[in-house]
Amino acid sequence: MSTAYSDLPVVKYEGQNSTNPLAYRWYDANRVVLGKTLAEHLRPAVCYWHNFCWKGEDVFGLGNTVFQREWFNEADPIKAAYMKLDAAFDFFAKLGLPYWCFHDRDVAPEGATLAESNRILDGLLEAAAKKMQDGKVGLLWGTANLFSHGRFMSGASTNPDPEVYAYGAAQVKHALEWTNRLGGQNYVLWGGREGYETLLNTDLKRELAQYGRFLSSVVEHKHKIGFKGTILIEPKPQEPTKHQYDYDSATVYGFLKTYGLENEVKVNIEVNHATLAGHSFEHEVATACALGIFGSLDANRGDEQLGWDTDQFPNNHVQLVPAMLEMIRAGGYTTGGTNFDAKVRRQSIDPIDQLEGHIGGMDTMARAFLSAAALFESGQLEKVVADRYAGWEGDLGKKIHGGASLDDLASLVHAQGISPAPRSGRQERLENIVNNFV
């Protein structure tokens, strides 16, 4: 059937000299870098929610459908959902990217009961499974929406009402089982409401314990059903809650350690969430890699003049090179990938705008990765880092890690007359090296 995207061309790679706005200039899916193709390194995905569920409304225009798509104008919500599904897979085919991502409520409208909601979702995901097979599109991750409905206004797992907790658990069970059936690579939990607005009515210790039990039960069910993918938490500091319990990668790691889940759960890091937490994107990636919980990425950006989550398409490859370098150093993705959790601007009302947003985002990520790969292969920064920490490979470093006490070290300093002099970190030189590759 004809969809909003039927008249758009299939996007192909045409190279850096192309002047075609509907072609990839940097993303050559089959180009081999560091032993794998770009498609294998980046594992790009298209998100369902921003592209096919958002009508272009904002807080000053609620209820206004700015984007005119055929499924938004259909009165029957189930029929509209099937129209939306057709359009989504038509769009995926135009981009030629290997994966998609969804929340359960993105795909299917909610029924009067959870049982009815599940039946509606079952029919749509059965249809999606056929489309995935026909279009050779995989599922990067699935998840359940535990934040939009009013029942979740005080959280799902951290809600003061155990009935809300139970409802959320049942919803996650169904979404996780479908993610497994569709061959999903990961399952994500975004705790947008898992936090608090005020401590005046919050038992923080109790809520953290609830969150820990909830996540443990998800991991238990993963193993029960034989899901081979990775469970991911997506850190974010605030918005919609004042304070979210999964503030950043380091906070998530501390939470996982507390509940013995550090070997079971990893993080899905979003660029805009990292900056909202007061970090650089590369800091969040490096932290997750260092702690062994790096899983996947949501590719977008914020606006430096705005203090909220704007979810814009990435368009500055230079800013992304350090994060790509950290990912390469750590060995890259295993089950994770690069999901475009990004949306066009409210004034970009045509379907072609969505296509161009993804083209630009894909080229930006590919260009950043290629620059980072060339930098990594040159070995220039790796040599500087190795030289800077070389002392830790010597006798003193080995003694320290071997259990030397404060008394041992004090005796050694006095006996050998150790009096270290400061050494330059050569930051300006290193920044110049990076600029040579971008």
Side-chain angles (χ1 to χ4, degrees), residues 46 72 90 114 174 182 196 292 308 328 335 346 380 411 423 433:
V46 183
F72 292 150
D90 192 5
L114 183 58
H174 199 70
L182 294 173
Y196 63 81
W308 60 86
I328 290 169
T335 61
R346 190 170 188 258
Q380 294 183 57
S411 297
R423 292 188 300 165
I433 289 173

Side-chain angles (χ1 to χ4, degrees), residues 13 15-16 24-45 96-99 324 327-328 332-333 336-338 340 361-374 377:
Y13 170 73
Q16 298 169 31
Y24 296 121
R25 298 176 67 244
W26 292 93
Y27 177 60
D28 179 358
N30 298 314
R31 178 175 174 177
V32 177
V33 184
L34 300 177
K36 293 193 295 187
T37 65
L38 269 181
E40 291 171 323
H41 278 298
L42 294 173
R43 294 165 60 86
L97 301 183
Y99 294 103
M324 293 293 99
M327 187 175 77
I328 290 169
Y333 295 125
T338 307
F340 285 102
M362 195 66 248
D363 271 346
T364 299
M365 297 302 294
R367 191 174 183 183
F369 185 87
L370 290 170
S371 296
E377 286 187 306

